[in-house]
Amino acid sequence: MNDINITAYGATDFVGRSSFLIHDRDHKILLDCGLELVPKQKTIAPVGVHDVAKELDSVLISHAHIDHSGYTPRLSKEGYRGNYYMTQPTKDIAYRLWLDHLKIEGRRHWSETDLDRVFHKISTKDYNKKFKVADGITAEFIHAGHILGAAQILLDWEGQLILYTGDINDRVTPMFDGYDLPNEKVDVLITESTNGDRYVPERKKIDVGLRLLAKQIADQGNKMLLPSFAVGRSQETLITLALDNDLDDIPIYIDGMIVTMNMITEHYLSEKWVSKGFLENLKDAGLNSPFQKQNMIPVKSISERTHQSRRYLAESNEGSIIVTTSGMLEGGPIHTYLDLLGSDENNVMGFSGYQVEGTTGRKIYDGATNVTLFEDYGRKKNVDLNLKIMKFPYSGHTSVDGLKQIMGDSGAKNIFLVHGDKRNQKYIMEYVKDVAKPSLINENAPTPLIGV
Ligand SMILES: [Zn+2]
Ligand SMILES: [Zn+2]
């Protein structure tokens, strides 16, 4: 047997541009092809993939988040003509994100033509079904518990089992019951390590606080702003709010791309894609979809002109909750709301996602009360914020205990850490060295996975 190697084009000891080539003398399989999002700058591509694009046997995408899927259409431009494997929800979500990326960055990385070509070569696969990706190599998607359609990728490489986690979550969330493990022990584990030294509280405990606070604020006639990531966190937040009858009389306004992502989510409300518990909760509440509850109102439906709707909302005396993009406050509708509502000390903004260093969200999270809005749109504006800031410690990634569990339970003797930062990876290396051989990966240079 040949040595099997991994070459990383990003996401080694940082989060961004996840893209990993697994290769031996005869085969080349690419796992993910994402972009790196940098605050206030353009995205960064995983450049090394250009050199191998033509030689790839298959491309597999773990989930739709842009740091895992955003550069995929470029592979077509670089001459790759094979299949792209992903789950059906990943295809639906990624396509919307790709279109959005074209709007934001233009044809910097790839064009509409590249996207069209890729779209027709996508082959969708369900969880837990093996499929061939090269001679002697099969793949299987396994539930990741992260976002809709998210999968871990299990490769059977001529008898050697390699598990790439993509992004995983061990917590019971409104839609999922945590990640699944493969049926067999694996030889190699390539795992994300985002929360490598962080304990994430159980969802239910955070949910209770969110619901109580939302009710209190709205009952007093004030506004609660919940800036959220369009894919994943915003659906979870809306579901949490929808399943609380105490909030039935409180309008919940939805703004930004979240509305589209809700519609996609509605297509997949079956046991194949979401947890039984979630479907039972919906049934008990008499709902076909959490997003179609009476008090869930897309901002676009208020009037034909979105800006007018937002102003109307902000100026009305009605207490309400506004769930909107963008999650790190880098632009989009949340800037309009901060402009209109941020000066009122009775209003509240709740953070529900991690705020990356350098973003406007992080500045406010860390206590800044004067921020610049609309930076991208050429009509910059400085505003003083008086509204209260609340922090909800949600995470879409597995808690450190869940990470330790997958490292132990997978049976892997070789463990490679990716998608985390140096500090928490160091912590994990210490922990894991008694049960397996932990390794880090260098960027753009082959590291042996098996056969050392
Ligand atoms: Zn993700
Ligand atoms: Zn990720």
Side-chain angles (χ1 to χ4, degrees):
M1 198 191 73
N2 298 317
D3 284 3
I4 306 171
N5 295 286
I6 181 167
T7 299
Y9 302 116
T12 49
D13 55 4
F14 60 96
V15 174
R17 67 189 146 94
S18 280
S19 188
F20 305 100
L21 179 74
I22 314 292
H23 52 115
D24 67 11
R25 206 181 50 209
D26 306 319
H27 310 93
K28 286 189 173 70
I29 308 281
L30 191 70
L31 307 180
D32 283 346
C33 195
L35 285 165
E36 184 179 350
L37 301 158
V38 193
K40 322 244 183 285
Q41 285 172 42
K42 296 204 160 106
T43 51
I44 300 176
V47 197
V49 294
H50 295 186
D51 303 334
V52 294
K54 273 199 188 101
E55 301 155 26
L56 294 172
D57 294 290
S58 285
V59 174
L60 294 97
I61 303 296
S62 68
H63 67 290
H65 276 153
I66 232 53
D67 64 315
H68 295 258
S69 79
Y71 203 57
T72 309
R74 176 65 178 238
L75 295 170
S76 159
K77 188 175 185 148
E78 296 298 328
Y80 173 65
R81 293 288 175 265
N83 284 333
Y84 300 82
Y85 298 98
M86 62 193 75
T87 64
Q88 182 69 45
T90 295
K91 179 183 178 182
D92 287 6
I93 301 166
Y95 186 66
R96 292 305 309 210
L97 295 180
W98 289 336
L99 290 176
D100 199 52
H101 176 82
L102 275 174
K103 261 198 245 161
I104 300 167
E105 290 206 2
R107 299 181 187 123
R108 227 176 112 241
H109 294 307
W110 38 264
S111 67
E112 291 83 349
T113 318
D114 303 320
L115 180 54
D116 279 348
R117 255 199 231 119
V118 169
F119 194 73
H120 295 294
K121 293 296 279 181
I122 292 175
S123 170
T124 59
K125 300 289 172 190
D126 290 343
Y127 292 124
N128 308 320
K129 298 236 162 65
K130 284 191 174 63
F131 51 94
K132 187 180 163 187
V133 289
D135 280 337
I137 304 172
T138 61
E140 186 179 339
F141 289 140
I142 295 170
H143 244 295
H146 173 61
I147 59 164
L148 183 66
Q152 306 176 71
I153 300 169
L154 177 67
L155 293 175
D156 183 336
W157 197 291
E158 295 177 331
Q160 298 286 331
L161 294 185
I162 301 165
L163 179 64
Y164 165 60
T165 62
D167 289 352
I168 45 168
N169 196 351
D170 63 325
R171 292 286 182 235
V172 173
T173 65
M175 288 170 68
F176 312 110
D177 282 343
Y179 64 73
D180 287 344
L181 277 168
N183 294 326
E184 301 162 81
K185 300 286 179 200
V186 305
D187 299 288
V188 176
L189 174 69
I190 304 158
T191 179
E192 67 128 309
S193 49
T194 322
N195 288 330
D197 63 352
R198 231 183 332 244
Y199 171 78
V200 182
E202 269 177 54
R203 277 292 165 118
K204 274 198 178 138
K205 293 182 186 163
I206 318 174
D207 288 348
V208 173
L210 174 71
R211 287 165 160 176
L212 284 174
L213 197 72
K215 175 148 178 64
Q216 202 183 15
I217 295 162
D219 278 351
Q220 288 165 352
N222 299 313
K223 314 274 193 283
M224 186 185 206
L225 286 176
L226 292 170
S228 306
F229 306 127
V231 182
R233 186 60 38 77
S234 49
Q235 284 74 44
E236 291 169 5
T237 304
L238 290 169
I239 292 164
T240 301
L241 299 173
L243 292 175
D244 183 356
N245 292 335
D246 288 344
L247 299 174
D248 281 359
D249 298 333
I250 296 168
I252 299 167
Y253 294 102
I254 311 167
D255 204 345
M257 214 215 296
I258 297 170
V259 179
T260 310
M261 291 304 158
N262 289 348
M263 286 195 276
I264 294 178
T265 306
E266 280 173 345
H267 282 286
Y268 297 99
L269 298 181
S270 73
E271 259 184 66
K272 193 162 155 185
W273 303 106
V274 301
S275 72
K276 232 188 218 169
F278 173 39
L279 296 172
E280 273 163 19
N281 287 339
L282 282 182
K283 206 170 154 200
D284 291 348
L287 295 170
N288 287 323
S289 156
F291 314 118
Q292 287 183 10
K293 213 174 160 175
Q294 286 263 301
N295 59 333
M296 298 262 168
I297 308 158
V299 170
K300 272 195 176 152
S301 70
I302 302 175
S303 90
E304 271 178 30
R305 300 181 59 180
T306 316
H307 193 79
Q308 237 165 38
S309 311
R310 290 174 187 153
R311 184 165 287 277
Y312 168 82
L313 249 185
E315 285 170 358
S316 82
N317 292 323
E318 159 199 77
S320 65
I321 304 163
I322 302 166
V323 182
T324 181
T325 54
S326 87
M328 294 202 203
L329 286 75
E330 284 290 88
I334 185 63
H335 278 205
T336 307
Y337 289 114
L338 278 180
D339 186 24
L340 296 169
L341 297 165
S343 61
D344 187 340
E345 60 186 22
N346 293 314
N347 295 328
V348 172
M349 179 162 67
F351 281 104
S352 63
Y354 183 72
Q355 300 298 308
V356 170
E357 206 79 47
T359 58
T360 308
R362 181 58 176 263
K363 279 182 204 143
I364 300 173
Y365 188 92
D366 286 343
T369 51
N370 180 276
V371 291
T372 310
L373 301 177
F374 310 112
E375 272 186 286
D376 303 343
Y377 301 94
R379 47 186 176 108
K380 276 191 192 180
K381 188 170 180 184
N382 264 324
V383 295
D384 285 315
L385 299 179
N386 298 315
L387 84 176
K388 289 186 203 71
I389 303 298
M390 294 295 298
K391 300 167 182 179
F392 299 98
Y394 289 103
S395 175
H397 298 272
T398 192
S399 191
V400 62
D401 29 329
L403 256 182
K404 288 175 177 175
Q405 198 173 353
I406 197 169
M407 290 190 293
D409 293 352
S410 70
K413 288 284 167 272
N414 290 312
I415 296 178
F416 295 84
L417 302 181
V418 296
H419 197 292
D421 66 43
K422 278 199 179 75
R423 192 172 56 106
N424 56 41
Q425 287 178 341
K426 215 174 131 197
Y427 172 83
I428 293 198
M429 299 267 280
E430 271 309 302
Y431 165 81
V432 79
K433 69 180 187 223
D434 297 333
V435 287
K437 184 171 164 274
S439 309
L440 298 175
I441 299 173
N442 290 322
E443 221 179 302
N444 273 303
T447 303
L449 280 181
I450 294 172
V452 258

